[in-house]
Amino acid sequence: MSKGQLQIIFIWIFVALVAVFVFIYGIKMVSNITNLGEDVRAAKFFQDFEKRVNEFYYLDEGSQKTESFLVPGWAEYVCFRGNSGSFPKFDETTQIFIDSNIGKNVFLAPITNPEVHMKSVKLLDNDNSFCVEATGGNVDITLINSGGKVNVQ
């Protein structure tokens, strides 16, 4: 084997390694973009929900309406923290985030990123803590103006 043929083999091995690294990097980027899309959907849910709560605050006392909201595909529940009551038994990580973020009264469960999956919604005041099951990326929540506060069911 001549010296030139040996160099070509090493060049092809180098090209193959670079191609593998580019392929792996591309898969990782696609995965990150998908996760980012789900985080955007979570942020959009909180934005839409807070907007509707603010609108209901200014309606007549006793006004109520069931609203449909989009949630990320991974979200199994939308939960509301109240003055009493309890939540379903969640995995350990979600339970830790719930217990350590007392000031946040709305969250998507299971929680993996509390900065994105939990929020404090002003004007929302529930007596009981509970969760609403999300199905197919949607959740229906009934908003009720209770005079000076908005409750959910």
Side-chain angles (χ1 to χ4, degrees), residues 129-143:
S129 297
F130 67 97
C131 295
V132 177
E133 190 170 358
T135 53
N138 287 311
V139 66
D140 293 328
I141 300 169
T142 301
L143 300 168

Side-chain angles (χ1 to χ4, degrees), residues 3-16:
K3 187 176 178 181
Q5 289 176 330
L6 192 59
Q7 287 179 343
I8 290 176
I9 291 172
F10 285 117
I11 289 173
W12 279 109
I13 291 172
F14 178 73
V15 167

Side-chain angles (χ1 to χ4, degrees), residues 11-29:
I11 289 173
W12 279 109
I13 291 172
F14 178 73
V15 167
L17 287 174
V18 169
V20 167
F21 286 125
V22 167
F23 184 70
I24 291 171
Y25 181 75
I27 290 173
K28 184 179 178 207
M29 286 292 102

Side-chain angles (χ1 to χ4, degrees), residues 104-120:
K104 300 197 176 174
N105 58 355
V106 180
F107 59 90
L108 300 170
I111 301 168
T112 56
N113 181 352
E115 292 178 11
V116 177
H117 304 159
M118 302 183 84
K119 183 159 177 76
S120 176

Side-chain angles (χ1 to χ4, degrees), residues 71-87:
V71 294
W74 53 261
E76 297 173 15
Y77 297 96
V78 176
C79 298
F80 303 93
R81 184 188 312 270
N83 301 325
S84 64
S86 61
F87 300 111

Side-chain angles (χ1 to χ4, degrees), residues 45 49-50 52-54 56 63-67 69 78-82 87 105-107 121-132 139-146 149-153:
F45 161 75
F49 179 74
E50 190 164 26
R52 294 302 294 153
V53 167
N54 289 337
F56 260 82
S63 298
Q64 80 176 46
K65 184 177 180 185
T66 300
E67 297 281 341
F69 297 94
V78 176
C79 298
F80 303 93
R81 184 188 312 270
F87 300 111
N105 58 355
V106 180
F107 59 90
V121 178
K122 297 175 186 172
L123 307 178
L124 183 67
D125 186 24
N126 263 17
D127 293 329
N128 295 317
S129 297
F130 67 97
C131 295
V132 177
V139 66
D140 293 328
I141 300 169
T142 301
L143 300 168
I144 304 167
N145 182 315
S146 300
K149 62 182 179 176
V150 176
N151 287 330
V152 292
Q153 287 183 342

